[in-house]
Amino acid sequence: MQNIKNIIFDYGNVIFEIDFKRTQEALSQLGITNSTEFFAHKSHHNLFNDFETGAISPAQFRTGIREAANNDQLTDEEIDGAWNSLLIGVPPGIHEVLLKVKQTYRTFLLSNNNETHYNYIVDYLKREFDMPDNSSLFEKAYYSQQMFLRKPNVEIFEQVLKENNLNPKETLFIDDSPQHIEGAKLAGLNTLLMTKHPRELEQVLIDHHIL
């Protein structure tokens, strides 16, 4: 890590704790019988890819959930509640860790996200931390639904590198998804697979001589 000048952070389960099983269980309760295959950490139905790349609206996403559940009586609130159930929150002290990292490195956020989750997270940050969004924690935050691209596609990494004039050999990407790590490697990035709970982010950075 001696040559690292820039760090690109994933959000879910690197900074913000999420639990896929919660949404799998919630989708099952909505009537989706194969929820563990329909929505999983490593692969999922194209409905989620479309939502994360801004190809469909929240209304179209809800329609897709109703079709998968074979229940057109599901309300928007029921679907949004199930979808947002995986979002747990930011452990204490993590924002301070990110600000500490930002003092030494150029830092960025690169998150596969969607309009419904993004709105929930912004509301959460306002409510719990009195923050308007994530912008103060990074030089720039990138979200898949605003870029019309998603990880692990190499193009999303190349766009972040190009827009910020980053040398991939001097840039570290931290993510909890092995498939995203592989995409980053194709773009020439240094990578670190996050296998710890987000509450341990500072220790992970210390262990890898980043802090």
Side-chain angles (χ1 to χ4, degrees):
M1 301 298 176
Q2 292 180 348
N3 298 321
I4 298 301
K5 297 180 180 179
N6 323 297
I7 302 177
I8 303 172
F9 290 93
D10 175 37
Y11 198 52
N13 277 344
V14 173
I15 296 166
F16 189 108
E17 182 183 0
I18 60 176
D19 186 345
F20 286 86
K21 290 183 179 179
R22 285 190 179 193
T23 287
Q24 288 171 345
E25 292 169 0
L27 292 173
S28 292
Q29 292 175 4
L30 294 184
I32 296 175
T33 56
N34 62 333
S35 64
T36 55
E37 292 79 28
F38 185 69
F39 178 69
H41 185 202
K42 293 186 177 181
S43 64
H44 44 241
H45 192 280
N46 280 337
L47 178 69
F48 302 100
N49 293 341
D50 290 342
F51 199 24
E52 288 185 343
T53 55
I56 60 173
S57 67
Q60 290 170 312
F61 174 77
R62 296 185 193 108
T63 296
I65 295 295
R66 292 186 182 101
E67 291 174 352
N70 195 27
N71 183 355
D72 61 7
Q73 299 304 308
L74 291 173
T75 67
D76 290 356
E77 291 74 19
E78 287 174 322
I79 295 169
D80 288 354
W83 182 224
N84 287 333
S85 63
L86 87 166
L87 300 171
I88 298 174
V90 179
I94 297 304
H95 289 159
E96 289 74 13
V97 171
L98 292 170
L99 290 172
K100 187 188 301 185
V101 177
K102 189 181 177 185
Q103 292 175 2
T104 306
Y105 304 88
R106 294 181 68 189
T107 60
F108 302 85
L109 181 70
L110 179 58
S111 173
N112 281 355
N113 213 310
N114 58 82
E115 186 176 335
T116 302
H117 282 173
Y118 178 82
N119 290 339
Y120 179 97
I121 289 166
V122 167
D123 182 68
Y124 165 84
L125 292 173
K126 290 177 181 176
R127 185 176 68 250
E128 298 295 329
F129 296 98
D130 195 27
M131 295 169 56
D133 52 34
N134 273 316
S135 59
S136 64
L137 303 174
F138 310 95
E139 184 173 325
K140 187 168 182 179
Y142 287 90
Y143 299 97
S144 61
Q145 81 277 13
Q146 297 169 356
M147 301 173 73
F148 309 110
L149 290 168
R150 72 184 299 279
K151 300 175 290 185
N153 294 341
V154 68
E155 291 84 2
I156 196 169
F157 299 104
E158 291 174 341
Q159 182 172 331
V160 174
L161 292 169
K162 183 178 180 181
E163 286 187 5
N164 299 283
N165 195 27
L166 304 179
N167 182 342
K169 294 180 180 179
E170 298 175 344
T171 305
L172 175 66
F173 173 64
I174 304 175
D175 199 294
D176 70 311
S177 299
Q179 68 271 27
H180 297 169
I181 291 291
E182 291 308 310
K185 287 179 179 178
L186 292 175
L189 291 161
N190 297 277
T191 60
L192 173 57
L193 179 65
M194 181 74 167
T195 58
K196 304 289 187 180
H197 189 281
R199 76 172 77 92
E200 299 183 57
L201 177 61
E202 183 173 25
Q203 190 59 52
V204 169
L205 297 175
I206 291 169
D207 290 345
H208 288 84
H209 309 292
I210 296 163
L211 282 178

